[in-house]
Amino acid sequence: MNEASKSTPLIELSGVGRQYGQTGKAGIAALSGISLTIGAGEFVCITGPSGSGKSTLLSILGCLDRPTSGSYRFVGREVSRLKPDALAWLRREAFGFVFQSYNLLDSVTTLGNVELPGVYGGLSRAHRQRRAKELLAEVGLAERARHRPAELSGGEQQRASIARALMNGGRVILADEPTGALDQHNGKRILDHLEALAQRGQTVVVVSHSPDVAKRTDRQIELRDGRVLKDVTRRVAAEPVAVYSTVAAGRKGKRKSNAGLIGGLSLGFTTLRRGFFRQGRLRAFLSLGSVALAVWWVVTLGAVLEGIAQEGMRIVNQMDANHIVLMPTTLANNDLAPPAVPLSLQDAENIEQSIPNVRGAAPRLTREMTVQSDSRSMQAFVKAYVPGMSMEESESDSPGLEAGRPITQLDNERLESVALIGPGVHSRLFSSLEDPLGQYLTIDGHPFLVKGIVSADRLNVLGASEEFAARIAAAEENRVYIPFNTGVALLFGTDRIRFLDIWVHDAERIGDTAQAIGDLLIRRHGQVGFMMSHRAGEAAEVAKGRKVVALFVLAIGAIAMLAGGLGVMAVMLMSVTGRTREIGLRMAMGARKKDVLTQFLLESAAVVTAGGVVGLAASVICTAILATLGVPMAHTGWVAIVALASAVSTGLLFGILPARRAASVDPAQAIAAG
């Protein structure tokens, strides 16, 4: 708003009327044909008996209410043509309100109350705090800045409201019965402050039925039955202020409201805390508890069901579900069927390197042979293997050792005649006092140096679980391990792999992995001459079960969140009803409808966020207790994240109706009702 010329009245009313209720004879006329002008810098008192329309006129002057007829111009601009945001701008930048009942927010400190217009005026936090402290010092309340309104006397609260009215400059101070609730001493002190403001050049309009108040002002306008009965000027007004005090230095650009995300969330948590520790405990508990219960239920149920699903997969894995056995074979007993593919070590290496889900591929050359040491002999299964074939050492095809050294890749490359013996071979071919390490045994007549003794608790069970290893340990005790290339050269007479054991990372994708292996072999050999066996069916059933579990958790979660959202909406609607005066006051301080809408939406978000965190904490405790009782539990991060995100989204969604209702509050009626 530009500075107007001195000839333009600051306030100009022409034929202004305000009617409540129905139009025509049934309506109630609060004001009728009010015409007057108020110049900048005037100290005016509007008097008259109760019901004469004084407060209504003040609400129209301050843009809290609109006239139903006539014209109201502020600095030459027709107010009736202004949109709601423009009216909010006027209330924020041009007017400062001082109410009879003080209308300070109980939930914030005195300093916070004085800062409030600066929040909506776009002042930075540091600037508005500095400005608020200066104003409180000016009205003698510097030592009471951190006190809440309930801790102040009536006179102190009214002086705080004067400081608040000056926060954004307060070019026009509108005071509605500012001394009506005060004793004579405090009333005189408030009038002294208002008179000092008028002498400083502020435009001050006071509504009062007291003749003593009217005598202190420069001009007296008396109303009766909604009309101007008398308009008397006793003194010349002081030189008006030309700018909005020093506050303009703290604004930049278009001075957007700072009542944004952080402010709204902060107010939401403040309101919630106040509800628990000061008043409205049931309302606060219902709003937070409904969401906390929903999140707790979803996350806990998800952990239980995921634990059951993982336990099912563990059982399937014990059944060797992540194992594929590949064997070259003809697929039919006729001359037209393709022959078995010549499976080689190169095939195993290609499978390992080309198929992402493959964890390892171990070629198997196994045959029962005669093993002898001196005069003792036995039948043992001799297995030729490739040591450490692109596998982690802890998961490789190499057996774990109880004593000695493992077979190395160098042993395999040099065709060394070395062997590892199982516990059964050890006990049957060597005496209990005899150390087999460094001694020789013969396999089908070929001498092999005993290099190590295989541990009984970890035999060649590549990728299998401990339970599965225990079941087949007995069958593997009578086994002898030799390098793959040595076995091909001395014992087996061929490098054609009879079996290829393939282990996968994800058993749920074992079917797709087997298909990829088959496609690779067909490309390499140009024919289908092999077979694969695996337990894809069991893994698929588990995968299907996990999907059903996920859908079940989501469905239950949606229902729980819906119930929680409805609870939040109901509580927030109650909150809007109980905080009507506060909403009207914020609008009087310059809050736009958008600011009020955002505030209540963010309050809903704050409530559900707090509820979500409480629900997550309760779920962690609950699942820990259930785990100690033997219930399978497995927390999944996505369930917790989805639950918390859904809670916040639900709060915002179901907070829309309460927020819209709050934004539609009529400020004049809200303040009057309070």
Side-chain angles (χ1 to χ4, degrees):
M1 182 177 298
N2 298 326
E3 295 294 333
S5 65
K6 293 184 178 180
S7 60
T8 303
L10 181 67
I11 293 172
E12 183 178 8
L13 278 65
S14 179
V16 166
R18 181 64 172 97
Q19 185 168 308
Y20 295 98
Q22 300 178 1
T23 58
K25 294 182 180 180
I28 300 174
L31 296 176
S32 299
I34 299 292
S35 296
L36 56 86
T37 61
I38 298 176
E42 285 196 75
F43 187 16
V44 181
C45 180
I46 302 174
T47 65
S50 298
S52 60
K54 303 186 301 297
S55 295
T56 301
L57 178 57
L58 198 70
S59 293
I60 290 175
L61 293 177
C63 300
L64 293 174
D65 200 359
R66 289 178 181 262
T68 52
S69 60
S71 171
Y72 171 27
R73 292 179 176 274
F74 185 81
V75 197
R77 190 171 184 182
E78 181 58 54
V79 173
S80 62
R81 297 176 184 173
L82 298 179
K83 294 181 179 180
D85 282 359
L87 292 175
W89 188 93
L90 269 180
R91 291 194 293 267
R92 183 171 64 244
E93 304 293 337
F95 297 106
F97 295 88
V98 180
F99 302 97
Q100 178 180 0
S101 55
Y102 324 130
N103 282 341
L104 299 176
L105 297 182
D106 298 332
S107 58
V108 294
T109 63
T110 304
L111 183 67
N113 272 280
V114 176
E115 285 185 54
L116 187 60
V119 172
Y120 298 116
L123 299 184
S124 67
R125 180 180 180 86
H127 183 84
R128 67 174 183 260
Q129 282 192 349
R130 183 171 65 253
R131 170 73 175 164
K133 289 177 181 178
E134 291 173 355
L135 291 170
L136 284 173
E138 187 177 319
V139 297
L141 294 177
E143 302 299 323
R144 311 288 277 173
R146 298 298 176 183
H147 290 69
R148 295 188 181 273
E151 300 169 330
L152 304 181
S153 67
E156 289 173 332
Q157 291 189 58
Q158 194 63 291
R159 279 185 279 154
S161 69
I162 292 175
R164 181 182 62 191
L166 295 170
M167 182 65 194
N168 286 351
R171 187 172 188 180
V172 181
I173 303 297
L174 303 176
D176 188 4
E177 297 284 2
T179 62
L182 303 177
D183 57 36
Q184 186 175 4
H185 172 73
N186 281 312
K188 181 179 181 301
R189 191 169 185 180
I190 294 302
L191 283 176
D192 290 341
H193 280 293
L194 294 176
E195 187 172 15
L197 291 175
Q199 291 174 354
R200 201 167 64 185
Q202 307 283 146
T203 302
V204 181
V205 180
V206 179
V207 165
S208 178
H209 63 275
S210 170
D212 293 333
V213 173
K215 291 177 182 178
R216 298 283 296 270
T217 62
D218 302 332
R219 178 181 173 189
Q220 180 180 350
I221 301 173
E222 184 177 349
L223 299 185
R224 181 124 2 193
D225 298 328
R227 299 177 183 275
V228 176
L229 181 64
K230 184 171 57 175
D231 187 348
V232 179
T233 300
R234 289 189 290 270
R235 289 186 295 272
V236 177
E239 183 68 23
V241 292
V243 293
Y244 300 151
S245 187
T246 59
V247 73
R251 299 190 177 95
K252 296 180 180 180
K254 295 183 179 180
R255 302 195 291 275
K256 294 182 179 179
S257 169
N258 279 336
L261 177 63
I262 302 301
L265 288 175
S266 175
L267 181 61
F269 287 118
T270 298
T271 303
L272 188 64
R273 184 176 66 251
R274 178 190 173 208
F276 273 112
F277 294 105
R278 289 174 174 264
Q279 59 184 9
R281 287 184 177 85
L282 179 61
R283 181 191 302 170
F285 178 80
L286 288 175
S287 58
L288 187 145
S290 61
V291 178
L293 183 63
V295 172
W296 167 80
W297 173 253
V298 171
V299 177
T300 304
L301 180 63
V304 172
L305 295 179
E306 179 64 19
I308 293 173
Q310 290 187 10
E311 179 67 15
M313 181 56 71
R314 189 182 68 83
I315 293 173
V316 170
N317 285 336
Q318 290 177 10
M319 298 165 60
D320 216 15
N322 59 345
H323 181 205
I324 300 173
V325 178
L326 173 64
M327 64 201 80
T329 183
T330 182
L331 299 180
N333 295 321
N334 58 66
D335 296 336
L336 298 178
V341 298
L343 203 61
S344 66
L345 190 60
Q346 186 63 42
D347 290 311
E349 293 175 349
N350 284 344
I351 288 172
E352 274 196 356
Q353 296 169 4
S354 304
I355 311 301
N357 193 35
V358 170
R359 184 159 56 91
R364 188 199 313 173
L365 287 175
T366 303
R367 185 185 300 170
E368 190 176 23
M369 299 180 181
T370 301
V371 181
Q372 185 175 356
S373 174
D374 294 333
S375 60
R376 300 178 183 180
S377 66
M378 62 177 292
Q379 293 298 112
F381 285 96
V382 178
K383 178 177 180 179
Y385 74 98
V386 180
M389 195 169 173
S390 56
M391 301 281 288
E392 296 294 335
E393 184 178 350
S394 61
E395 298 177 338
S396 71
D397 197 39
S398 303
L401 298 181
E402 181 180 288
R405 293 178 292 114
I407 293 174
T408 65
Q409 291 184 3
L410 187 61
D411 293 333
N412 188 53
E413 293 171 0
R414 292 179 175 178
L415 279 69
E416 298 285 353
S417 296
V418 292
L420 307 176
I421 61 174
V425 177
H426 178 198
S427 62
R428 293 180 62 177
L429 296 186
F430 300 92
S431 67
S432 58
L433 299 177
E434 190 176 4
D435 184 3
L437 296 179
Q439 299 193 44
Y440 282 87
L441 52 77
T442 60
I443 304 175
D444 270 5
H446 297 279
F448 281 80
L449 177 69
V450 177
K451 192 176 184 180
I453 303 173
V454 177
S455 174
D457 60 357
R458 188 185 183 277
L459 295 163
N460 181 36
V461 192
L462 176 63
S465 65
E466 294 296 331
E467 292 85 351
F468 185 74
R471 291 202 301 267
I472 66 172
E476 299 229 349
E477 285 188 350
N478 297 330
R479 179 164 287 187
V480 178
Y481 300 87
I482 63 175
F484 185 84
N485 291 341
T486 305
V488 169
L490 298 180
L491 302 178
F492 295 93
T494 179
D495 62 352
R496 298 292 175 85
I497 298 173
R498 295 287 304 276
F499 297 96
L500 183 62
D501 294 306
I502 302 169
W503 303 89
V504 300
H505 293 285
D506 186 358
E508 294 182 11
R509 296 190 288 124
I510 196 169
D512 294 336
T513 304
Q515 180 65 45
I517 293 170
D519 293 342
L520 175 64
L521 292 176
I522 292 173
R523 289 195 303 271
R524 283 182 55 81
H525 298 280
Q527 63 185 48
V528 182
F530 55 87
M531 291 180 60
M532 282 184 285
S533 66
H534 54 76
R535 295 181 178 272
E538 290 88 344
E541 286 299 317
V542 172
K544 181 180 178 181
R546 295 182 81 167
K547 290 180 181 179
V548 172
V549 165
L551 291 175
F552 182 70
V553 170
L554 291 176
I556 294 296
I559 295 172
M561 288 301 173
L562 178 62
L566 290 173
V568 170
M569 182 173 67
V571 171
M572 290 303 295
L573 286 172
M574 293 168 54
S575 178
V576 171
T577 302
R579 295 166 60 191
T580 301
R581 182 183 68 87
E582 176 194 332
I583 297 168
L585 177 62
R586 290 181 178 275
M587 289 182 169
M589 299 299 107
R592 301 165 297 173
K593 289 182 179 294
K594 177 183 177 181
D595 294 327
V596 177
L597 183 72
T598 302
Q599 174 190 326
F600 274 81
L601 280 177
L602 291 177
E603 283 191 32
S604 298
V607 169
V608 296
T609 300
V613 172
V614 171
L616 286 177
S619 176
V620 170
I621 296 172
C622 182
T623 52
I625 294 173
L626 291 175
T628 60
L629 298 177
V631 179
M633 306 297 297
H635 272 295
T636 51
W638 72 267
V639 172
I641 293 172
V642 169
L644 192 57
S646 299
V648 176
S649 301
T650 300
L652 291 174
L653 179 63
F654 285 89
I656 290 176
L657 179 60
R660 288 175 63 89
R661 180 169 294 185
S664 64
V665 166
D666 180 88
Q669 294 181 11
I671 292 173

